[in-house]
Amino acid sequence: MMGIEKLQEHVRKQVQLAHDFEKLVLSDSRFEIVGSVILGLVCFRLKESNEINEKLLKEINNSGKIHLVHSTEKETYFLRFAVCASSTEQKHVQYAWKIIQELTNSILNGIPPSN
């Protein structure tokens, strides 16, 4: 069990890591942020069709390396990256982004992803 100070520290860390992920997404012109970053949740998508975004999510989850979920708003399909584990560190955010970029490159260049 954690006290109020530890809980505040945990939430602040999650929020910071989410904003770090947001910066990574914004650094790649192929992607866009959908809505505001709320606590540890970052909603993003490729600036492509819903079908391409669905394919990206499928490849991400099929890789078994990271797991994301999706949502849809006003017929726009997007991916949801959530920082919620107390053990999550910057290296995990960087790793997730690396996987996302590798699979994006494979999809957009028509190269089958390697596991």
Side-chain angles (χ1 to χ4, degrees), residues 2-97:
M2 62 174 80
I4 187 75
E5 289 161 359
K6 281 289 189 188
L7 180 59
Q8 288 171 330
E9 179 183 319
H10 171 71
V11 171
R12 285 184 186 111
K13 178 183 168 191
Q14 288 182 331
V15 170
Q16 183 57 56
L17 290 172
H19 282 288
D20 291 347
F21 183 79
E22 176 189 33
K23 288 175 189 167
L24 292 170
V25 173
L26 292 172
S27 73
D28 187 328
S29 63
R30 301 174 298 176
F31 289 90
E32 63 188 350
I33 297 293
V34 179
S36 300
V37 174
I38 299 173
L39 294 175
L41 179 64
V42 183
C43 298
F44 70 103
R45 69 187 314 271
L46 277 167
K47 295 176 184 174
E48 298 286 340
S49 68
N50 285 344
E51 291 76 19
I52 295 290
N53 281 281
E54 287 181 59
K55 183 173 183 172
L56 176 58
L57 179 66
K58 181 179 177 184
E59 294 298 334
I60 288 168
N61 291 339
N62 284 345
S63 77
K65 297 174 182 175
I66 61 173
H67 181 80
L68 299 181
V69 297
H70 79 281
S71 189
T72 305
E73 184 176 312
K74 297 180 183 175
E75 299 183 25
T76 300
Y77 185 99
F78 56 90
L79 287 65
R80 296 165 47 107
F81 180 84
V83 179
C84 52
S86 61
S87 60
T88 304
E89 298 177 8
Q90 182 65 37
K91 67 182 179 181
H92 301 118
V93 172
Q94 294 285 341
Y95 176 77
W97 182 241

